[in-house]
Amino acid sequence: MKIALGNDHRGVPVKQRVIALLKELGHEVLDLGTNSPASVDYPDYAVAVAEAVARGEADRGILICGTGHGMCIAANKVAGIRATNCRDVIDAELSRRHNNANVLCLSADLVGEEMSEKMIRVWLTTEFEGGRHARRTEKISAYERCHMKTEGHC
């Protein structure tokens, strides 16, 4: 898979470990930054990753910030994105199995290295169940189609 990866300044050290893991697992990485510890605005990176996934330039995305919350909120503003902020392996598994999440948001500050690695492995290998869950995710997609602004970027 091709994985788009983005982070803010708090996620820089974690991102380096995530890149190594993804490459070890045989995935291609699209690194959309940042690589600097200087303060940046997380929505810039969340939207870049989410748009890459929504356009099909990447199969999935991973975002990293202090808590994962800001990245998750921003990424979910992009039509077609189902971003999830996970704290454990069960969260990661169910986000894929039941919600077909296509962007994983991680906390650089609240989740340790071992747990992050386990979540990424599970999230990348868990398939969407479909069935009743497909009906539910389709309702989200239908809402997006009906309410999406088509003026383009601001």
Side-chain angles (χ1 to χ4, degrees):
M1 270 189 279
K2 186 173 188 177
I3 311 297
L5 188 58
N7 58 283
D8 69 2
H9 51 282
R10 296 191 48 201
V12 171
V14 175
K15 179 175 75 169
Q16 297 313 314
R17 293 190 305 267
V18 171
I19 288 173
L21 173 63
L22 292 173
K23 288 183 177 180
E24 174 188 316
L25 296 173
H27 300 291
E28 183 181 349
V29 177
L30 175 61
D31 182 356
L32 298 176
T34 187
N35 292 310
S36 169
S39 182
V40 296
D41 297 332
Y42 64 83
D44 298 337
Y45 301 92
V47 169
V49 166
E51 287 185 344
V53 173
R55 287 190 302 260
E57 295 167 7
D59 301 298
R60 295 197 200 155
I62 297 176
L63 292 165
I64 309 158
C65 68
T67 63
H69 295 315
M71 289 287 199
C72 191
I73 292 167
N76 276 316
K77 300 300 178 187
V78 176
I81 296 304
R82 292 171 306 283
T84 185
N85 188 12
C86 295
R87 294 278 194 266
D88 60 38
V89 175
I90 295 169
D91 276 345
E93 179 183 351
L94 292 177
S95 76
R96 286 286 310 135
R97 193 174 305 285
H98 292 180
N99 309 113
N100 201 17
N102 53 10
V103 175
L104 173 64
C105 301
L106 298 172
S107 168
D109 299 339
L110 305 173
V111 177
E113 183 177 341
E114 185 179 335
M115 180 57 70
S116 291
E117 182 178 317
K118 286 179 181 179
M119 286 190 297
I120 290 167
R121 287 176 183 273
V122 166
W123 191 77
L124 290 173
T125 57
T126 300
E127 295 295 324
F128 180 50
E129 277 184 8
R132 70 184 189 277
H133 304 296
R135 182 180 71 243
R136 295 166 184 163
T137 58
E138 177 50 36
K139 286 184 177 188
I140 295 167
S141 297
Y143 180 88
E144 286 176 335
R145 287 190 299 273
C146 289
H147 295 87
M148 191 168 58
K149 293 182 180 179
T150 58
E151 297 89 45
H153 296 288
C154 299

